[in-house]
């Protein structure tokens, strides 16, 4: 069904779609809006995402390797999503257009003194280990929490990188890492900003 809907939007041809049988797909990441519409990813493997209205009519379809999480940007009609294992996308929730793309390699280049993101790379042959980062969440700091997180600015991004047992906070404009902590959990998911100035994780 997802492939048929994509064709209807003339975004791609069938040869561009990696077909995933229905029994191998499940929504992985969803954002629900006040009007009853929602955006969801079409599976853990990253086949794409779509937005449907309250009556299940498709509003837009966006192909990509989107997986895990869809997080609303507080105060804006946009969402943050994970793209494969190597990028974050800020997407206009109204039209499905990309507003900003941040590659993990961009974060590495912007933080030469924070080498934790390269830990799964073989420095002899330059090759990366499989599943090098496994980003599974991106959470912008809500402005209502700015007083309990004075070291950060509203909109700073909290990331979970499962393969590194790593949490980090970065500025999405400069890509600068402001804080990071590794090893407090194993293969964590779903970090959240809390109103008491702490971060919870699963």
């Amino acid at each position: 069904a997802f492939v048929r809907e994509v064709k209807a939007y003339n975004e791609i041809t069938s040869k561009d779609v990696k077909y995933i049988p229905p029994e191998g797909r499940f929504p992985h990441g969803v954002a629900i809006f006040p009007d009853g519409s929602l955006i969801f990813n079409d599976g853990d493997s990253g086949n794409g995402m779509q937005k449907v209205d309250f009556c299940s009519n498709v509003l837009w379809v966006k192909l990509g390797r989107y997986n895990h999480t869809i997080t609303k940007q507080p105060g804006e009609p946009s969402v943050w999503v994970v793209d494969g294992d190597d990028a974050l996308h800020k997407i206009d929730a109204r039209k499905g257009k990309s507003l900003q793309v941040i590659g993990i390699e961009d974060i590495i280049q912007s933080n030469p003194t924070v080498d934790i993101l390269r830990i799964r790379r073989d420095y002899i042959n330059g090759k990366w280990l499989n599943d090098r980062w496994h980003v599974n969440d991106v959470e912008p700091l809500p402005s209502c929490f700015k007083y309990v997180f004075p070291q950060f600015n509203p909109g700073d991004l909290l990331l979970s990188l499962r393969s590194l047992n790593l949490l980090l906070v970065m500025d999405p404009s400069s890509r600068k890492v402001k804080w990071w902590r590794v090893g407090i959990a194993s293969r964590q998911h779903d970090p959240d900003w809390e109103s008491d100035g702490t971060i919870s994780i699963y």
Side-chain angles (χ1 to χ4, degrees), residues 118-136:
R118 291 192 182 100
I119 201 167
R120 291 178 60 82
R121 185 178 183 191
D122 187 323
Y123 278 90
I124 302 300
N125 60 29
K127 293 181 180 179
W128 290 93
L129 296 178
N130 186 44
D131 208 14
R132 53 192 168 174
W133 300 300
H134 200 116
V135 183
N136 59 31

Side-chain angles (χ1 to χ4, degrees), residues 69-87:
T69 187
I70 301 175
T71 307
K72 295 179 188 177
Q73 173 71 46
E76 295 182 18
S78 59
V79 295
W80 282 96
V81 299
V82 177
D83 180 2
D85 184 43
D86 58 2

